Amino acid sequence: MSQDGALRLPVNRNWQQQFVVILVGLYCFWGLAGIAVADPAFHVEHLQVTPQENAVEINASVQLGKEALLQQILDQGQTLVWVVEAEWREPEPFSFIPGVGVHAHREQHWRIHYYPLTNQYAIEDQHGALTLYAHWSAVATALAQVHDFMLPLVHGAARGQVALRVYIDVQALPLPLRLRSLLGHWKLESPWIVSAPLSH
């Protein structure tokens, strides 16, 4: 090897390393930017809150997005965990700060399955009871409604606001799908929707 060739080799390797670093940096930048601008997959609408003696009854509708992605995950044999989460919060200025002035909190989980042998879907409630559906559209219709969700209230919170959201528990998915959800910016959740102040 000539002396000139020996001198050019480190320069070429150095340029290649810099090029790789630039590519990785651009990938990370656009990846983080995608996470920042990704729209939520779901939106809770038409929140209705009815005060009861020691609780509030919550009804709402959910606008579902990314249905094709959800169906694809189920058709691959994975189970989805659908979560409805509600809070009783202090009125503003504390209501917009997560975890501050929260006097009651409740989550309910439903497991969604697909059975390829019978070509049926099922929603499993907290008690293990299954409701079967012949088509995905029927599952989507069921998920699009929050019916008679009861949030028990504690003493000492005479006035507050109900906050509600829904989401798919991504942490319940296998690791490869969790990584895909991060890289694909799935954002399988809804923003919080907050009611007007209520008296309890």
Side-chain angles (χ1 to χ4, degrees):
M1 179 181 294
S2 67
Q3 187 175 0
D4 290 342
L7 290 175
R8 283 196 301 268
L9 185 57
V11 174
N12 290 337
R13 286 181 177 172
N14 188 31
W15 180 86
Q16 290 173 349
Q17 291 172 350
Q18 290 178 352
F19 183 72
V20 170
V21 169
I22 291 172
L23 285 179
V24 171
L26 287 174
Y27 180 81
C28 292
F29 172 79
W30 289 114
L32 292 174
I35 292 173
V37 301
D39 290 329
F42 317 122
H43 291 275
V44 180
E45 302 173 338
H46 310 298
L47 177 62
Q48 298 179 349
V49 180
T50 305
Q52 305 290 341
E53 184 175 355
N54 294 310
V56 288
E57 179 185 312
I58 303 170
N59 292 276
S61 60
V62 180
Q63 182 181 354
L64 295 177
K66 302 186 181 177
E67 286 189 44
L69 174 61
L70 300 181
Q71 187 177 10
Q72 180 184 12
I73 295 172
L74 289 169
D75 290 353
Q76 291 176 355
Q78 303 299 329
T79 296
L80 293 174
V81 178
W82 176 259
V83 184
V84 177
E85 182 178 13
E87 293 180 349
W88 175 262
R89 301 177 178 177
E90 292 267 0
E92 293 184 356
F94 301 105
S95 61
F96 69 93
I97 305 176
V100 177
V102 176
H103 294 281
H105 176 269
R106 186 186 180 201
E107 292 182 3
Q108 278 193 308
H109 298 72
W110 289 267
R111 299 175 67 84
I112 310 170
H113 310 275
Y114 173 65
Y115 302 114
L117 292 180
T118 59
N119 196 27
Q120 288 182 308
Y121 296 90
I123 297 180
E124 180 183 355
D125 67 14
Q126 296 79 14
H127 308 292
L130 294 176
T131 303
L132 297 176
Y133 300 89
H135 304 285
W136 164 253
S137 59
V139 177
T141 299
L143 298 179
Q145 297 295 325
V146 177
H147 281 302
D148 305 329
F149 187 97
M150 300 301 296
L151 175 63
L153 300 182
V154 296
H155 298 292
R159 210 171 137 72
Q161 294 173 288
V162 170
L164 184 74
R165 71 167 182 154
V166 299
Y167 63 93
I168 293 289
D169 186 0
V170 176
Q171 296 304 313
L173 294 173
L175 180 59
L177 280 181
R178 294 205 301 270
L179 294 176
R180 281 184 57 193
S181 72
L182 177 63
L183 296 176
H185 323 308
W186 291 355
K187 205 170 183 182
L188 299 177
E189 60 187 30
S190 76
W192 288 98
I193 183 172
V194 182
S195 72
L198 301 166
S199 297
H200 167 52

